[in-house]
Amino acid sequence: RKEVEQDPGPFNVPEGATVAFNCTYSNSASQSFFWYRQDCRKEPKLLMSVYSSGNEDGRFTAQLNRASQYISLLIRDSKLSDSATYLCVVNRGTGAGSYQLTFGKGTKLSVIP
Amino acid sequence: NAGVTQTPKFRILKIGQSMTLQCTQDMNHNYMYWYRQDPGMGLKLIYYSVGAGITDKGEVPNGYNVSRSTTEDFPLRLELAAPSQTSVYFCASSPQGPPYEQYFGPGTRLTVT
């Protein structure tokens, strides 16, 4: 099983649609979880951290299921500006692994007018 | 705050040449990282540092060297460039504490021919 696995997409959705991305991770010792977005030919930017209780930031909702080692990101009311690649990111566990991150290859989203 | 800055933005090297990729952060972060990203692939950790004078290897350190003489700067040295080092290089930094979210520089696009 890959360390962090995501559906590469692309997901092509109309403006205003709701879209969900999923991610699975293999290291049960992982304790920190994030979603980053990466625009074409740009650096990854932190979108949101993911907490066990789930968290929401405007139109974005992230969920974590530790038992299934599964992370999700829901985007409501999609905007053209949401078009990007979304990276699922987890840390490598405890000790030195706590501050080392493993990045998924990303899921590409295109929002269509 | 400029955040994380990297120079140069682009570089073309001939096989066997050497160069240094510069990275500076002004967020007073102790932890810094170098990644490479190949097309369609996730980010791979090259080297990281937990403070001035302390560096350690990541997943793909061969062909690279680093130093960390100050909190702000974390240069990456390529010796004897090879075509396999053609990639986009990102520098990142993170606070010294969980969840260790990382902030990225704009990247250096390197081509070795």
Side-chain angles (χ1 to χ4, degrees), chain A residues 3 32-34 36 38 40-46 49 51 87 91-92 95-96 98-105, chain B residues 10 31 33 35 37 40-43 45 48 50 57-59 90 94 98-107 109:
Chain A
E3 287 189 81
S32 297
F33 309 90
F34 310 93
Y36 278 72
Q38 186 172 24
C40 188
R41 301 175 73 83
K42 298 284 191 181
E43 73 273 24
K45 291 186 177 177
L46 179 65
S49 299
Y51 303 111
L87 309 179
N91 78 338
R92 292 190 177 154
S98 59
Y99 49 82
Q100 294 180 51
L101 302 182
T102 301
F103 289 77
K105 294 181 182 179
Chain B
F10 306 94
Y31 293 8
Y33 314 82
Y35 293 91
Q37 186 176 36
M41 303 298 288
L43 282 83
L45 182 64
Y48 65 94
V50 298
K57 296 178 180 178
E59 299 171 80
F90 290 106
S94 71
Y100 301 102
E101 72 278 12
Q102 294 182 13
Y103 300 91
F104 284 80
R109 291 188 175 275

Side-chain angles (χ1 to χ4, degrees), chain A:
Chain A
R1 186 176 179 181
K2 291 180 184 174
E3 287 189 81
V4 178
E5 205 151 1
Q6 299 181 248
D7 180 343
F11 284 59
N12 299 314
V13 303
E15 270 186 290
T18 295
V19 61
F21 305 138
N22 302 318
C23 162
T24 57
Y25 62 96
S26 61
N27 185 354
S28 60
S30 294
Q31 298 178 341
S32 297
F33 309 90
F34 310 93
W35 283 102
Y36 278 72
R37 71 170 278 166
Q38 186 172 24
D39 294 294
C40 188
R41 301 175 73 83
K42 298 284 191 181
E43 73 273 24
K45 291 186 177 177
L46 179 65
L47 180 66
M48 58 199 304
S49 299
V50 187
Y51 303 111
S52 295
S53 54
N55 47 303
E56 189 173 306
D57 183 1
R59 297 180 294 108
F60 299 85
T61 301
Q63 298 279 351
L64 168 65
N65 184 320
R66 285 187 185 269
S68 302
Q69 295 181 205
Y70 169 98
I71 306 164
S72 65
L73 177 69
L74 184 77
I75 306 176
R76 290 181 298 279
D77 188 22
S78 299
K79 312 289 186 193
L80 294 176
S81 56
D82 294 334
S83 296
T85 296
Y86 290 83
L87 309 179
C88 177
V89 182
V90 306
N91 78 338
R92 292 190 177 154
T94 57
S98 59
Y99 49 82
Q100 294 180 51
L101 302 182
T102 301
F103 289 77
K105 294 181 182 179
T107 298
K108 186 171 182 179
L109 171 67
S110 293
V111 181
I112 305 161

Side-chain angles (χ1 to χ4, degrees), chain B residues 59-70:
Chain B
E59 299 171 80
V60 291
N62 290 345
Y64 307 95
N65 273 302
V66 293
S67 59
R68 183 98 182 269
S69 56
T70 67

